[in-house]
Amino acid sequence: MQIGIVGLGRMGGNIGRRLMRAGHTCVVYDHAPQATEALASEGATGARDLGDLVAKLDAPRVVWLMLPAGKITEDTLNDLHKILGADDVIIDGGNTFYKDDIRRAGQLREQGIHYVDVGTSGGVWGLTRGYCMMIGGDEAVVKRIDPILATLAPGRGDIPETPGREGRDPRVENGYMHCGPVGSGHFVKMVHNGIEYGLMQAYAEGFHILRHKESKDLAEDERYSLDLADVAEVWRRGSVVSSWLLDLTAGALATDGTLERFSTEVADSGEGRWTIEAAIEEAVPAQVLSAALYTRFRSRDAESFPERMLSAMRFGFGGHHEFPVK
Amino acid sequence: MQIGIVGLGRMGGNIGRRLMRAGHTCVVYDHAPQATEALASEGATGARDLGDLVAKLDAPRVVWLMLPAGKITEDTLNDLHKILGADDVIIDGGNTFYKDDIRRAGQLREQGIHYVDVGTSGGVWGLTRGYCMMIGGDEAVVKRIDPILATLAPGRGDIPETPGREGRDPRVENGYMHCGPVGSGHFVKMVHNGIEYGLMQAYAEGFHILRHKESKDLAEDERYSLDLADVAEVWRRGSVVSSWLLDLTAGALATDGTLERFSTEVADSGEGRWTIEAAIEEAVPAQVLSAALYTRFRSRDAESFPERMLSAMRFGFGGHHEFPVK
Amino acid sequence: MQIGIVGLGRMGGNIGRRLMRAGHTCVVYDHAPQATEALASEGATGARDLGDLVAKLDAPRVVWLMLPAGKITEDTLNDLHKILGADDVIIDGGNTFYKDDIRRAGQLREQGIHYVDVGTSGGVWGLTRGYCMMIGGDEAVVKRIDPILATLAPGRGDIPETPGREGRDPRVENGYMHCGPVGSGHFVKMVHNGIEYGLMQAYAEGFHILRHKESKDLAEDERYSLDLADVAEVWRRGSVVSSWLLDLTAGALATDGTLERFSTEVADSGEGRWTIEAAIEEAVPAQVLSAALYTRFRSRDAESFPERMLSAMRFGFGGHHEFPVK
Amino acid sequence: MQIGIVGLGRMGGNIGRRLMRAGHTCVVYDHAPQATEALASEGATGARDLGDLVAKLDAPRVVWLMLPAGKITEDTLNDLHKILGADDVIIDGGNTFYKDDIRRAGQLREQGIHYVDVGTSGGVWGLTRGYCMMIGGDEAVVKRIDPILATLAPGRGDIPETPGREGRDPRVENGYMHCGPVGSGHFVKMVHNGIEYGLMQAYAEGFHILRHKESKDLAEDERYSLDLADVAEVWRRGSVVSSWLLDLTAGALATDGTLERFSTEVADSGEGRWTIEAAIEEAVPAQVLSAALYTRFRSRDAESFPERMLSAMRFGFGGHHEFPVK
């Protein structure tokens, strides 16, 4: 089927490529002309601006936005709002906060424009392997864009079937899920990323314990110098902690056992923070997911004010300070 | 090669079976005669007691213990200590605390008896799929028992190779690793289980946030009734959080979306606790692994004393209590 | 000076009383007529509604709101907005979210109405002991209402002076602080409550460890039956952990060592949650304050879904479940 | 009464002084002769070694050890073991691990020597204000040394009485408590220090949130530059979070609002670690106390290996790494 794609970065460009390889027709636009031209040279129809993109699509249109969450997505939506018509569909495939989806969909609905949010996981691996997608919106609209979704999804592959799924929605086993009303796709993707933080932190703590086992502070016969690359690799085989994140860890350690080329400052994105806020709104304890987020905050704190406070208090009750005990 | 196996529970029995299927010779003993007989009927040589087992093995002997950690393993080792001879090998394949390994190996070394600790992961899946093994001991001894280890391990299978591992120990990619001196096998297995707790808790918190998204306490247009079985399933396909634990979760949810048949009280084993103690000994922060352990402690606390204390304090400063403010 | 008070619950009523005892003039209103009458019988001028209250005050007026945060405060502000005039002052003494303060103050400023937010700590003890107050707003306006604030504050009392405070704002040592622009008073009060959660949880965990020291699971010569009431009491004398919360704890334990009359379900208020959200906005790790909040969430969770998930996974890899290992 | 004191550092010396001022007789010894002479010049009888100290005491003797926990205390106990006699009393006033108390008391009991453990809080403030003491041992022995304990304790002072304590052990309100059998004094002191860590961390996190409220990353009208010294001071007056630790914090901030002169690396002592180990032994969740300990560990970690692991994984799934997705 025909689709417009706005935003041709690593994700958006590869989405276009995967769709075209399967025979879909893509009209594409990026604010950087060379990105538009690059995809045009691979078979897409390039557009010079949003108006041109809309003009080149047959009504009712389908436009997939693959832009950084926040102002750019918001501005583009506002522009499209003015030039799209009834029964057109906007798909937001970026990392949008789900409450923004709900608000926007309500505004667009007044003009009869449909809105679908698609939480998309897969990174650059997606081009060849497909994208895991979590989708929010009206079922009729999600059905309408099914040819697109089915192409982008990984498909069943050789992953073992889960017993007991007979009679359930087969889309899910192909790697895409209609989660519920607008916003629910990005909500599920948000929690996915929150879990990702927790899993990563669990591995990081465990490997830290393994690494420090050679510490000079320990009794000599209780010290081990463990080969962390080998530990990660052996756990990939039949152990309970095998996972894709472990595969990546094994890969990183294989060529650099101390990971010295990697940053000690760890970024965090909106999803990790929103997950904790959602937990708090729901009164759900999220100890592990919070701890994972806080470790990243801590990694970027050069000032260490709270640690200074602890030192100040210790100094105080150690008695060097002129303050009377009660 | 020939091996003695002591302890024929689910793990020990299957280890014997996997070895015999590959042509190894097993002399087996369990304190329950029917367990011994069962394996004998499958081709093993049954022994009536430890002495009989030792008598039926050719020197230098190899004896694999697959017993519950603690007193039973300790007693069996003490008994074997008296009847084994120089150059014999004892393998402890159970979940022993690594400091006990170090102590025991030192005692056995005085008689020239070798000790190897093998942390074994794989559960009942191990019979068909093989066991992921983490091994501590002298390299010469570990080499001697390599035929056994190579048979028990999962092998390379169809797991994608990790780039950059050229020239590294090939045993690791077959699913077993010689980690270092005595105790290091159980130490690595211990941390493996600690990580396992953290991973499990990350998923549990994330799915809790998904589930409570239908809470009546939330604004009506921000509520979603999410199908958790489908979420777990879709994440198995190309998402960053795919793992074997997620596979298991998808399986459990597929047939029971509310998990009502599962216990609200969660047990913990020694490894989870020892991992935190190791972290503290090493002065390594283990926020996520601790939180995962504490959640299990909390799940079994029917008294809720600390919560009562919080209520008592709230009552106090709410002013109902006859206690003067400073 | 003259002041209007809206909301005559435990806090609002006592604020009026403390002001009248110091010679201030109070015009009071509560939506429950008997509450208005009660305070009128103690010397206040009762008002039948907001309009009557405004009419009975001399311009420029000062009106103190002491209402539950949220809709009631919002509605009352909207009503007052219409009937107050330029240079009048509204004080919100409740537990309002500081971002609501900022928004409201902006709206009121258009009519020249001033807005001051006062975070008020002290509970029912405040009548006799005074209220610790954290204040946000324009300095000129805060100065104007200083007679009110100085009366409500605890004063210097017999609390030892902090060395090094010479030349600093003397209001602070009298128990009230002008923190900064609008919202900053409630912001500081919010963090105060966040810290309060953390302190309470630290005591609760410590006393839990003391209490369980008599557990039958421990070695017999390592068990102690500790008198928790005595422990709390002795720590009030010269120890590092002495505090007002400890005083309250000692009081509660003195008459009920098991705290059986207190609830196992612990409520939380907006401030605890907003504190974590502020930490996340600022990218500040708040491990202890979050853990304290989550303990309260957990205390009210009867369903235990995440624990069931852990059990389901354990069941899965224990091998009872028909799901193939990778 | 007469007492021997071994170890005349800041704590031991002041204990001697406080006892002598109340008319007790002290025979003192420190391995540094000048420390012994210093106290002798203030009225004590100096001893040149342990044997001399024992010789100068009347049987049955009472010897108070005030030494660093660990090897020095252990060695001194072993030496005293040989030269003390039946019915003599050894008091360990240091920060000994309570399980060491239990072991040592058992060894000394064979010679009829009594052992009392005293957890002592108060630092250098103790000389003038008295020491809060938590005591383990046989009641008859604790009674025997009561004159010493009563002198060292802070006494009732002007701290408000706790209602409901009528008929309870009056020693407690004088600041010393007989907690139970040997080891229980140090156990209670250990948990005291664990709680102390948690309280300190709660304040540190809260003040961190206050301080970062001026961050340029926040919306301009939501930024506040708060005077932290004033906040700490105002909270000392009638607020729920008032405590001695807050008094110390107010003192530190009053002269140095950024705390730049204090270390960013925070030490931890045995008690904090042992408290977590006790919690784990008892299966008691200790989320806040652990988080406080881990913050200190983290403050001293210059390598940041776990953060590098997180970066490596992020790099991996961002797709720059040659590792195939499943």
Side-chain angles (χ1 to χ4, degrees):
Chain A
M1 65 182 280
Q2 189 198 50
I3 188 169
I5 303 178
V6 178
L8 303 172
R10 196 161 11 169
M11 289 286 282
N14 282 344
I15 282 174
R17 284 180 192 99
R18 190 170 168 97
L19 289 174
M20 291 191 291
R21 289 178 192 178
H24 297 287
T25 306
C26 294
V27 183
V28 301
Y29 168 70
D30 193 279
H31 69 99
Q34 63 274 33
T36 306
E37 282 153 30
L39 222 67
S41 74
E42 298 178 48
T45 303
R48 354 169 254 290
D49 55 30
L50 286 179
D52 189 33
L53 178 122
V54 168
K56 284 173 168 157
L57 290 166
D58 306 321
R61 300 167 193 86
V62 176
V63 181
W64 183 297
L65 304 190
M66 204 69 213
L67 298 164
K71 186 165 164 26
I72 297 178
T73 295
E74 193 81 25
D75 290 348
T76 306
L77 271 162
N78 288 338
D79 291 343
L80 285 172
H81 195 164
K82 294 171 200 147
I83 56 180
L84 288 178
D87 215 25
D88 286 349
V89 178
I90 296 180
I91 301 166
D92 182 357
N95 284 321
T96 295
F97 185 43
Y98 76 99
K99 294 192 183 182
D100 288 331
D101 291 322
I102 296 171
R103 175 178 49 76
R104 288 169 185 169
Q107 293 164 348
L108 293 165
R109 194 176 295 126
E110 292 169 19
Q111 265 76 46
I113 306 172
H114 308 291
Y115 183 92
V116 175
D117 54 288
V118 179
T120 311
S121 185
V124 295
W125 305 107
L127 174 56
T128 49
R129 305 290 176 137
Y131 300 91
C132 177
M133 288 173 292
M134 297 138 260
I135 304 149
D138 294 338
E139 175 68 3
V141 182
V142 175
K143 275 272 156 65
R144 204 211 289 179
I145 60 171
D146 189 73
I148 299 294
L149 300 170
T151 296
L152 291 176
R156 290 179 167 262
D158 55 359
I159 294 173
E161 273 187 46
T162 301
R165 285 198 56 84
E166 300 74 21
R168 284 180 166 273
D169 188 338
R171 294 178 290 186
V172 170
E173 284 167 282
N174 282 287
Y176 62 114
M177 172 182 176
H178 181 202
C179 300
V182 162
S184 63
H186 278 140
F187 184 81
V188 173
K189 174 58 162 54
M190 175 194 88
V191 175
H192 166 279
N193 286 29
I195 292 173
E196 171 193 307
Y197 281 41
L199 301 179
M200 289 170 72
Q201 184 65 22
Y203 287 116
E205 290 181 6
F207 277 88
H208 198 193
I209 296 170
L210 293 175
R211 179 165 168 80
H212 266 246
K213 192 57 182 168
E214 62 183 10
S215 162
K216 294 261 163 32
D217 297 339
L218 302 175
E220 198 167 344
D221 66 342
E222 295 183 2
R223 280 181 223 155
Y224 304 123
S225 291
L226 300 163
D227 185 319
L228 302 191
D230 281 359
V231 171
E233 185 65 30
V234 82
W235 286 349
R236 297 179 66 219
R237 321 264 159 174
S239 99
V240 174
V241 303
S242 65
S243 72
W244 188 51
L245 285 165
L246 183 66
D247 294 346
L248 295 173
T249 303
L253 287 165
T255 54
D256 176 8
T258 59
L259 302 178
E260 273 176 15
R261 68 198 160 105
F262 291 103
S263 173
T264 61
E265 302 193 1
V266 191
D268 73 281
S269 60
E271 286 92 350
R273 301 183 180 203
W274 300 331
T275 300
I276 307 307
E277 288 172 2
I280 290 174
E281 271 192 353
E282 299 177 16
V284 159
Q287 199 59 61
V288 158
L289 306 191
S290 304
L293 180 64
Y294 294 155
T295 297
R296 298 190 181 191
F297 289 169
R298 177 65 182 83
S299 78
R300 307 189 308 254
D301 176 19
E303 189 190 52
S304 297
F305 183 75
E307 287 77 11
R308 290 180 201 276
M309 267 198 70
L310 299 178
S311 294
M313 284 189 247
R314 280 169 55 84
F315 186 70
F317 61 70
H320 307 279
H321 203 275
E322 294 311 305
F323 202 89
V325 81
K326 265 176 202 160
Chain B
M1 65 182 279
Q2 189 199 49
I3 189 169
I5 303 178
V6 178
L8 303 171
R10 194 161 12 168
M11 290 284 283
N14 281 345
I15 282 173
R17 284 180 193 98
R18 189 168 168 97
L19 289 174
M20 290 191 292
R21 289 178 192 178
H24 297 287
T25 306
C26 295
V27 182
V28 302
Y29 167 69
D30 192 280
H31 70 98
Q34 62 273 33
T36 307
E37 283 153 28
L39 222 67
S41 75
E42 298 177 48
T45 303
R48 11 169 239 288
D49 54 30
L50 287 179
D52 189 32
L53 179 121
V54 168
K56 284 173 167 157
L57 288 166
D58 306 321
R61 302 167 191 87
V62 176
V63 181
W64 183 297
L65 304 190
M66 204 70 214
L67 298 164
K71 186 166 164 26
I72 297 178
T73 294
E74 192 81 23
D75 289 349
T76 306
L77 271 163
N78 288 339
D79 291 344
L80 285 172
H81 195 164
K82 294 170 200 149
I83 56 180
L84 287 178
D87 215 25
D88 286 349
V89 178
I90 296 180
I91 302 166
D92 181 356
N95 286 320
T96 294
F97 184 44
Y98 77 98
K99 295 191 184 183
D100 288 332
D101 290 322
I102 296 171
R103 175 178 50 76
R104 288 168 186 169
Q107 293 164 347
L108 293 164
R109 194 175 295 128
E110 293 170 17
Q111 265 76 46
I113 305 172
H114 308 290
Y115 183 92
V116 175
D117 54 288
V118 179
T120 311
S121 184
V124 294
W125 306 107
L127 174 56
T128 49
R129 303 289 176 139
Y131 300 90
C132 178
M133 288 173 291
M134 296 139 260
I135 303 148
D138 295 337
E139 175 69 2
V141 183
V142 175
K143 275 272 156 67
R144 203 210 292 179
I145 61 171
D146 189 74
I148 298 294
L149 299 171
T151 296
L152 291 176
R156 290 178 167 262
D158 54 1
I159 294 173
E161 273 187 46
T162 301
R165 283 199 57 83
E166 300 75 21
R168 285 179 165 274
D169 189 338
R171 293 178 291 185
V172 171
E173 283 167 281
N174 282 286
Y176 63 113
M177 173 181 175
H178 181 203
C179 300
V182 162
S184 62
H186 279 140
F187 183 81
V188 172
K189 174 58 162 54
M190 175 193 87
V191 176
H192 166 279
N193 286 30
I195 292 173
E196 171 193 306
Y197 280 41
L199 301 178
M200 290 169 73
Q201 184 65 22
Y203 287 116
E205 290 181 5
F207 278 87
H208 197 193
I209 296 170
L210 294 174
R211 179 166 169 80
H212 266 246
K213 192 58 182 164
E214 62 183 9
S215 163
K216 293 262 164 31
D217 295 339
L218 302 175
E220 199 167 345
D221 66 344
E222 296 183 2
R223 279 181 224 153
Y224 305 122
S225 291
L226 300 163
D227 185 317
L228 301 191
D230 281 359
V231 171
E233 185 66 29
V234 83
W235 286 349
R236 296 179 68 218
R237 320 265 159 174
S239 100
V240 173
V241 303
S242 65
S243 72
W244 188 52
L245 284 164
L246 182 66
D247 294 346
L248 295 172
T249 303
L253 287 165
T255 53
D256 175 9
T258 59
L259 303 177
E260 273 177 15
R261 67 197 161 104
F262 291 104
S263 173
T264 61
E265 302 193 0
V266 191
D268 73 281
S269 61
E271 286 92 348
R273 300 182 181 203
W274 299 331
T275 300
I276 307 306
E277 287 171 2
I280 290 174
E281 271 192 353
E282 299 177 16
V284 160
Q287 198 59 60
V288 158
L289 307 191
S290 303
L293 180 64
Y294 295 154
T295 297
R296 298 190 179 191
F297 289 170
R298 176 66 182 81
S299 78
R300 308 191 306 256
D301 177 18
E303 190 191 50
S304 297
F305 183 75
E307 287 78 12
R308 290 181 201 275
M309 267 199 71
L310 299 178
S311 294
M313 284 188 247
R314 279 169 55 84
F315 187 71
F317 60 72
H320 307 279
H321 203 275
E322 295 310 306
F323 201 88
V325 80
K326 265 176 203 161
Chain C
M1 63 182 282
Q2 188 199 49
I3 189 170
I5 303 178
V6 178
L8 303 171
R10 195 161 11 167
M11 289 285 283
N14 281 346
I15 282 174
R17 284 179 193 98
R18 189 167 168 98
L19 289 173
M20 290 192 291
R21 288 178 192 176
H24 297 287
T25 306
C26 294
V27 182
V28 300
Y29 167 71
D30 192 281
H31 71 99
Q34 62 275 33
T36 307
E37 283 154 27
L39 221 68
S41 76
E42 297 178 49
T45 303
R48 354 170 255 289
D49 54 30
L50 287 179
D52 190 31
L53 179 121
V54 168
K56 282 172 169 159
L57 288 167
D58 306 322
R61 300 167 192 88
V62 176
V63 181
W64 183 297
L65 305 190
M66 204 70 214
L67 297 164
K71 187 166 164 25
I72 298 179
T73 294
E74 193 80 25
D75 290 348
T76 307
L77 270 162
N78 288 339
D79 291 344
L80 285 172
H81 196 164
K82 294 171 199 148
I83 55 180
L84 287 178
D87 215 26
D88 286 349
V89 178
I90 296 180
I91 301 165
D92 181 357
N95 284 321
T96 294
F97 184 44
Y98 77 99
K99 294 191 184 184
D100 288 331
D101 290 323
I102 295 172
R103 175 178 49 77
R104 288 169 185 167
Q107 293 163 347
L108 293 164
R109 195 176 294 126
E110 293 169 18
Q111 266 75 48
I113 304 172
H114 307 291
Y115 183 91
V116 175
D117 54 288
V118 179
T120 311
S121 184
V124 295
W125 305 107
L127 174 58
T128 49
R129 303 292 175 135
Y131 300 91
C132 177
M133 288 173 292
M134 295 138 263
I135 304 147
D138 294 338
E139 175 68 3
V141 183
V142 175
K143 275 273 156 66
R144 204 210 291 178
I145 61 172
D146 189 73
I148 298 294
L149 299 171
T151 296
L152 291 176
R156 290 180 164 263
D158 55 0
I159 293 173
E161 275 186 43
T162 301
R165 285 199 54 84
E166 300 74 21
R168 285 180 165 275
D169 189 338
R171 293 178 291 186
V172 170
E173 283 168 282
N174 282 286
Y176 64 113
M177 173 181 174
H178 181 201
C179 300
V182 162
S184 64
H186 279 141
F187 184 82
V188 173
K189 174 58 162 52
M190 175 193 88
V191 175
H192 166 279
N193 285 32
I195 292 173
E196 172 193 307
Y197 280 41
L199 301 179
M200 290 168 73
Q201 184 65 20
Y203 286 117
E205 289 181 4
F207 278 86
H208 197 192
I209 296 170
L210 293 175
R211 179 166 168 80
H212 266 246
K213 193 58 183 165
E214 62 183 10
S215 163
K216 292 263 162 35
D217 296 338
L218 302 175
E220 197 166 347
D221 66 343
E222 296 182 2
R223 282 181 223 153
Y224 304 122
S225 291
L226 300 163
D227 185 318
L228 301 191
D230 280 0
V231 171
E233 184 66 28
V234 83
W235 286 349
R236 296 180 66 219
R237 322 265 159 174
S239 100
V240 173
V241 303
S242 65
S243 71
W244 188 50
L245 284 165
L246 183 66
D247 295 345
L248 294 173
T249 303
L253 287 165
T255 53
D256 176 8
T258 59
L259 303 177
E260 273 177 14
R261 68 197 159 104
F262 291 104
S263 173
T264 60
E265 301 192 1
V266 191
D268 73 281
S269 60
E271 285 93 348
R273 300 182 180 204
W274 300 330
T275 299
I276 307 307
E277 287 171 1
I280 290 174
E281 271 193 352
E282 299 177 15
V284 160
Q287 198 58 61
V288 159
L289 307 191
S290 304
L293 180 64
Y294 295 154
T295 298
R296 298 191 180 192
F297 289 170
R298 176 65 182 81
S299 78
R300 308 190 307 257
D301 176 18
E303 189 190 51
S304 297
F305 183 75
E307 287 78 12
R308 289 181 201 275
M309 267 198 70
L310 299 178
S311 294
M313 284 189 248
R314 281 169 54 83
F315 186 70
F317 61 70
H320 307 281
H321 203 275
E322 294 310 305
F323 200 89
V325 79
K326 267 177 205 160
Chain D
M1 64 183 279
Q2 189 199 50
I3 189 170
I5 303 178
V6 178
L8 303 172
R10 196 161 12 168
M11 290 286 282
N14 281 346
I15 282 173
R17 285 180 192 96
R18 189 168 168 99
L19 289 173
M20 290 191 292
R21 287 176 194 178
H24 297 288
T25 306
C26 295
V27 181
V28 301
Y29 168 69
D30 192 281
H31 70 99
Q34 62 274 35
T36 308
E37 282 154 29
L39 221 68
S41 74
E42 297 179 49
T45 303
R48 13 170 236 288
D49 54 30
L50 287 180
D52 189 32
L53 179 122
V54 168
K56 283 172 167 158
L57 289 166
D58 306 320
R61 301 166 193 87
V62 175
V63 181
W64 184 297
L65 305 190
M66 204 70 212
L67 298 164
K71 186 166 163 27
I72 298 179
T73 295
E74 193 80 26
D75 289 348
T76 307
L77 271 162
N78 287 339
D79 291 344
L80 285 172
H81 196 163
K82 295 170 198 149
I83 55 180
L84 288 178
D87 216 26
D88 286 350
V89 177
I90 296 180
I91 302 166
D92 182 358
N95 285 321
T96 294
F97 184 44
Y98 77 98
K99 294 192 184 183
D100 288 332
D101 291 322
I102 296 171
R103 175 178 50 78
R104 289 170 185 166
Q107 293 164 347
L108 294 164
R109 196 176 293 126
E110 292 169 19
Q111 266 76 46
I113 305 172
H114 307 291
Y115 183 91
V116 174
D117 54 287
V118 179
T120 311
S121 184
V124 295
W125 306 106
L127 174 57
T128 49
R129 303 290 176 138
Y131 300 91
C132 178
M133 287 173 292
M134 296 139 261
I135 304 148
D138 293 339
E139 175 69 3
V141 184
V142 176
K143 275 272 157 64
R144 205 211 291 178
I145 60 170
D146 190 74
I148 298 293
L149 299 171
T151 296
L152 290 176
R156 290 178 166 264
D158 55 0
I159 294 173
E161 274 187 45
T162 301
R165 285 199 55 85
E166 301 74 22
R168 285 179 166 274
D169 187 339
R171 293 177 291 186
V172 170
E173 283 167 282
N174 282 286
Y176 63 113
M177 172 181 176
H178 182 201
C179 300
V182 161
S184 63
H186 278 141
F187 184 81
V188 172
K189 173 60 161 53
M190 175 194 86
V191 175
H192 166 278
N193 286 29
I195 292 173
E196 172 193 305
Y197 280 40
L199 301 179
M200 289 169 73
Q201 184 65 21
Y203 287 117
E205 290 181 4
F207 278 86
H208 197 192
I209 297 170
L210 294 174
R211 178 166 169 80
H212 266 246
K213 193 56 182 166
E214 61 183 9
S215 162
K216 293 262 163 32
D217 296 338
L218 302 175
E220 198 166 344
D221 66 342
E222 294 182 2
R223 282 181 222 153
Y224 305 122
S225 291
L226 300 163
D227 186 319
L228 302 191
D230 281 0
V231 171
E233 184 66 30
V234 82
W235 286 349
R236 297 179 67 218
R237 320 266 159 173
S239 99
V240 173
V241 303
S242 65
S243 71
W244 187 53
L245 284 165
L246 183 66
D247 294 347
L248 294 172
T249 303
L253 287 166
T255 54
D256 175 9
T258 59
L259 303 177
E260 273 176 14
R261 69 197 160 104
F262 291 104
S263 173
T264 60
E265 302 193 1
V266 191
D268 73 282
S269 60
E271 286 93 348
R273 301 183 180 204
W274 300 331
T275 300
I276 307 306
E277 288 171 2
I280 290 174
E281 271 192 353
E282 299 176 15
V284 159
Q287 198 58 60
V288 158
L289 307 191
S290 303
L293 180 64
Y294 294 153
T295 297
R296 298 191 180 191
F297 289 169
R298 176 66 183 82
S299 77
R300 308 190 307 255
D301 176 18
E303 188 189 52
S304 298
F305 182 75
E307 288 78 12
R308 290 181 201 275
M309 266 198 72
L310 299 178
S311 294
M313 284 189 249
R314 281 170 54 85
F315 186 71
F317 61 70
H320 307 280
H321 204 276
E322 294 311 306
F323 201 89
V325 79
K326 266 176 202 160

